[in-house]
Amino acid sequence: MQCLRCNGCMTIERHYTRLTRRIHARCINCGFWIDLADLLRFFHKVIDNGLKGQKVQQTLSL
């Protein structure tokens, strides 16, 4: 997986807390990270709206 900022290599990390279990991707070069669960929800909404024939109005805030 390539970083969205510097095109460097990203690693996948799991973070466990008492309340949530999150999976993040973190860049080795610049330290940029993104929550993969949020990214998956974003693409699911985009595909779902496209199948319904609606305008895609979802945004992903990085």
Side-chain angles (χ1 to χ4, degrees):
M1 186 172 182
Q2 285 188 335
C3 179
L4 299 173
R5 287 189 181 165
C6 70
N7 292 329
C9 184
M10 295 188 84
T11 61
I12 296 184
E13 303 173 348
R14 285 195 259 175
H15 294 272
Y16 292 103
T17 63
R18 291 180 182 220
L19 300 175
T20 61
R21 285 174 268 188
R22 292 292 204 180
I23 299 176
H24 300 284
R26 181 177 299 274
C27 180
I28 295 172
N29 295 332
C30 67
F32 174 73
W33 67 273
I34 189 165
D35 185 1
L36 295 176
D38 288 340
L39 190 66
L40 184 63
R41 278 191 288 275
F42 168 75
F43 283 115
H44 178 71
K45 288 179 183 178
V46 168
I47 291 170
D48 192 36
N49 286 342
L51 291 176
K52 291 179 183 175
Q54 299 172 349
K55 285 187 175 180
V56 177
Q57 297 178 352
Q58 300 296 325
T59 59
L60 179 65
S61 57
L62 297 176

